[in-house]
Amino acid sequence: MTEMNRLTADDDLFWKVHRLYGPLLVVQLAWLFDEPLERATVQRFHEHLSYGFLARRVVTTRFPLARPWWAPALRALPLDWRTEPVRADRVPDWLAAQTDTDLDPITGEVWRLSAAPTATGGTVLSLVASHVAVDGGGGLFAVADALERLRADASPDRAASAGRLVGDTLSAGLLRAHIADAVAQVRAVAAGIRGAIRARAVHEPVRQPRPETTPVALANPFQPADLLVSVPAADWNRVAAAHSGTANGLMVGVAVGVLGRSGRVTDGAVRVEIPRSMRGLDDPRGNASTGVAVAVPYRHGERTDLARLRAATKRAVTAHDDPATTPPLQHLQPVQVLLPDALTRRFVRTSKAPICLCTNLGDSAKLVADIAGIRARAVVMRPVVRAGDPEFFRRAEAGLTVAYSGDGETVTLAVAGVDPDRFPDRDTLRRHVAAELTAWGLRPRFW
């Protein structure tokens, strides 16, 4: 009996969000080239993606307690090839517009590749994928595999590419597979409840309450303000080292400083969520990450102490990796998987979004910067929260997201202000980000 690639707890969470709100959460990988890309080249890249790690769909079952699983996609959205040039100052808007697309995990139409010429003779390229299908690490893995096959002039082939990891629908033994998974889920729930009880004295960093503020009059739906900003990697690393920190710590320090400048947080500890990749070699999971909550000291008018932040992060990661000190909610993930949509909807109404979410993809951008011998001037990957009711974001007490990606020469931050009253527009967000980076002695270049 072939082992099925069942949805993980993270996959399931994003799948539930998709069913309740549609493609609210997506990931985007974007390239900016100074030279033009040929349409035939991009089309071949698209074909490799169509048979690769991204080409997956959710297969559901009514068998009690058995989880959905991944199978090869039935179809893919066609290449979106534009001919109207994009001005340099409109690139961020063009990229944001590409995230507004219908994605369907049931058919496997979970990603879209778009390209357009730039007014300066180059190309801007965007790959948007549903967070149900992949996290940032999964998206980079899918793209790196497709680009490697493109460089090798290989034919699109699911069996020979990372598409082989997706899995397939069983032609026989399906009932036995569902029974086995249902039994495994019951055992996982029992173990999770026992673990949560043992860890009931473990507490995560507390959230600062959202400061009272006068609501800003905004359009509905509200699209969270976003921007892309680049800094020379040598400058970034030099500043981090000068303050006894790391490149990751500097990103977190900048994010907390931006929140402070906006008035979203006050003096004290700021809870920052830091995703950690758990992806292994030939890992079939769409989402293979976990989150660690770190209490980051903040004092108005001061830069974040990167040495203290480094120590706090190390303590949080060590505690998270020990089952005895893993927070109770982590143990209860198997319970979350079995919750029906009606109950999930009730929990979502009262759940809170991260005040600060900092995703670090390291220098992985250099793995995907070259397409058919043409190297991108800049590459960025970012999580994107699509437009919604401003009251939804206020109720969820959303704050700020920052994603770091580098290619060895340049560090690019993708910043999104999800608090509609603190970051009502891109100009406000840019003002806070520019002031914070300047305070660290960095010279930002905004896209």
Side-chain angles (χ1 to χ4, degrees):
M1 182 172 63
T2 304
E3 184 176 354
M4 301 169 75
N5 185 13
R6 302 276 182 174
L7 269 66
T8 65
D10 285 334
D11 294 341
D12 174 79
L13 178 61
F14 291 120
W15 175 223
K16 282 183 167 68
V17 170
H18 181 95
R19 295 202 301 273
L20 293 175
Y21 298 105
L24 176 67
L25 304 171
V26 298
V27 293
Q28 182 180 44
L29 182 58
W31 296 258
L32 189 58
F33 293 89
D34 289 329
E35 301 175 61
L37 293 178
E38 294 184 0
R39 180 168 184 167
T41 298
V42 180
Q43 184 64 55
R44 291 200 305 274
F45 176 36
H46 179 277
E47 291 168 0
H48 283 296
L49 290 172
S50 300
Y51 287 88
F53 192 74
L54 272 178
R56 57 176 65 205
R57 63 187 172 97
V58 174
V59 183
T60 60
T61 177
R62 293 186 177 181
F63 192 93
L65 306 183
R67 295 170 296 163
W69 69 97
W70 294 111
L74 297 176
R75 52 184 178 267
L77 294 171
L79 171 64
D80 179 24
W81 182 266
R82 310 288 182 88
T83 57
E84 183 178 354
V86 179
R87 294 195 336 240
D89 62 339
R90 302 298 293 177
V91 167
D93 293 324
W94 186 88
L95 291 174
Q98 305 320 300
T99 66
D100 186 15
T101 183
D102 290 331
L103 301 172
D104 186 359
I106 292 296
T107 65
E109 293 170 309
V110 293
W111 58 276
R112 185 177 73 164
L113 184 66
S114 306
T118 62
T120 54
T123 301
V124 57
L125 190 64
S126 162
L127 175 65
V128 173
S130 167
H131 216 319
V132 179
V134 287
D135 55 16
L140 285 167
F141 175 64
V143 170
D145 178 71
L147 290 178
E148 179 59 34
R149 295 187 59 77
L150 178 65
R151 280 191 289 271
D153 199 24
S155 299
D157 186 339
R158 180 174 290 109
S161 70
R164 72 188 184 281
L165 302 173
V166 171
D168 211 335
T169 304
L170 294 182
S171 57
L174 191 58
L175 178 59
R176 283 190 296 161
H178 287 336
I179 291 173
D181 190 62
V183 171
Q185 290 310 295
V186 171
R187 291 173 176 166
V189 167
I193 292 174
R194 289 195 299 270
I197 292 173
R198 287 194 296 267
R200 62 187 180 276
V202 177
H203 298 288
E204 292 188 278
V206 298
R207 293 173 57 94
Q208 282 195 12
R210 186 173 185 263
E212 292 292 334
T213 186
T214 302
V216 176
L218 296 165
N220 188 357
F222 162 72
Q223 177 60 60
D226 67 332
L227 56 81
L228 300 169
V229 56
S230 295
V231 175
D235 292 348
W236 186 272
N237 294 327
R238 172 182 53 77
V239 169
H243 292 273
S244 303
T246 63
N248 181 71
L250 181 54
M251 171 188 61
V252 174
V254 167
V256 171
V258 170
L259 281 168
R261 290 176 185 276
S262 74
R264 179 60 178 79
V265 297
T266 57
D267 289 1
V270 177
R271 175 174 168 138
V272 176
E273 315 284 344
I274 302 177
R276 291 175 65 210
S277 176
M278 309 299 286
R279 190 170 298 280
L281 183 66
D282 284 346
D283 197 320
R285 293 176 292 176
N287 289 273
S289 58
T290 187
V292 177
V294 180
V296 180
Y298 170 75
R299 187 175 180 83
H300 180 70
E302 297 181 4
R303 290 176 301 213
T304 302
D305 187 324
L306 299 190
R308 291 179 63 191
L309 169 58
R310 190 174 190 173
T313 303
K314 184 176 181 179
R315 287 194 301 271
V317 170
T318 300
H320 195 278
D321 289 344
D322 184 349
T325 51
T326 299
L329 281 178
Q330 290 290 325
H331 291 285
L332 293 175
Q333 282 189 331
V335 178
Q336 163 227 300
V337 171
L338 301 184
L339 291 179
D341 283 357
L343 195 53
T344 301
R345 184 176 286 106
R346 182 176 300 178
F347 280 120
V348 167
R349 287 197 194 103
T350 58
S351 63
K352 301 300 181 184
I355 295 173
C356 187
L357 176 66
C358 289
T359 303
N360 186 354
L361 294 165
D363 284 342
S364 53
K366 63 186 177 185
L367 301 175
V368 297
D370 186 292
I371 297 183
I374 300 178
R375 187 173 182 82
R377 171 160 60 86
V379 182
V380 64
M381 173 164 268
R382 59 179 177 172
V384 178
V385 182
R386 290 179 50 179
D389 188 332
E391 288 304 320
F392 169 80
F393 293 109
R394 291 179 179 119
R395 186 171 60 250
E397 298 184 6
L400 186 79
T401 71
V402 180
Y404 170 114
S405 52
D407 60 6
E409 298 178 2
T410 304
V411 167
T412 299
L413 302 180
V415 187
V418 198
D419 186 319
D421 301 315
R422 304 296 179 178
F423 309 106
D425 51 52
R426 184 177 291 156
D427 287 343
T428 301
L429 178 63
R430 177 170 174 159
R431 186 171 65 253
H432 293 313
V433 171
E436 183 64 20
L437 290 173
T438 301
W440 286 93
L442 295 167
R443 302 183 305 276
R445 179 180 61 81
F446 291 91
W447 289 35

